[in-house]
Amino acid sequence: MDAEHLQASAERDQLWASLRQLRPHIEALATGNATGSPLEKQVIELLAKIVLAELDYRARD
């Protein structure tokens, strides 16, 4: 693995680890218990960005 790949992998791992703090909000969305709050909107946007970044990461490999 080259340095760029290692850096991208470390950043990716850190991002996924940071989601643990948002788990209660993610679970509420996943179970259909959304309230439509501004925080939920931010979580949805964040999850969409993470999914896109993950798809881009996997497409590069």
Side-chain angles (χ1 to χ4, degrees), residues 1 3 5 7 16 18 22 29 32 38 43-46 49-50 52 58:
M1 273 191 207
H5 186 75
Q7 177 69 27
W16 282 103
S18 69
L22 296 175
L29 291 167
V43 170
I44 291 167
E45 289 174 6
L46 176 63
K49 289 176 184 178
I50 291 169
L52 287 174
R58 291 174 183 255

Side-chain angles (χ1 to χ4, degrees), residues 3-58:
E4 184 178 324
H5 186 75
L6 287 173
Q7 177 69 27
S9 181
E11 289 173 358
R12 184 173 157 253
D13 289 345
Q14 185 177 15
L15 177 62
W16 282 103
S18 69
L19 288 177
R20 288 186 191 111
Q21 297 172 9
L22 296 175
R23 186 177 179 121
H25 302 289
I26 295 168
E27 286 177 345
L29 291 167
T31 59
N33 293 321
T35 63
S37 71
L39 177 60
E40 283 183 351
K41 184 176 185 255
Q42 288 179 318
V43 170
I44 291 167
E45 289 174 6
L46 176 63
L47 290 172
K49 289 176 184 178
I50 291 169
V51 169
L52 287 174
E54 183 69 17
L55 290 172
D56 288 345
Y57 177 83
R58 291 174 183 255

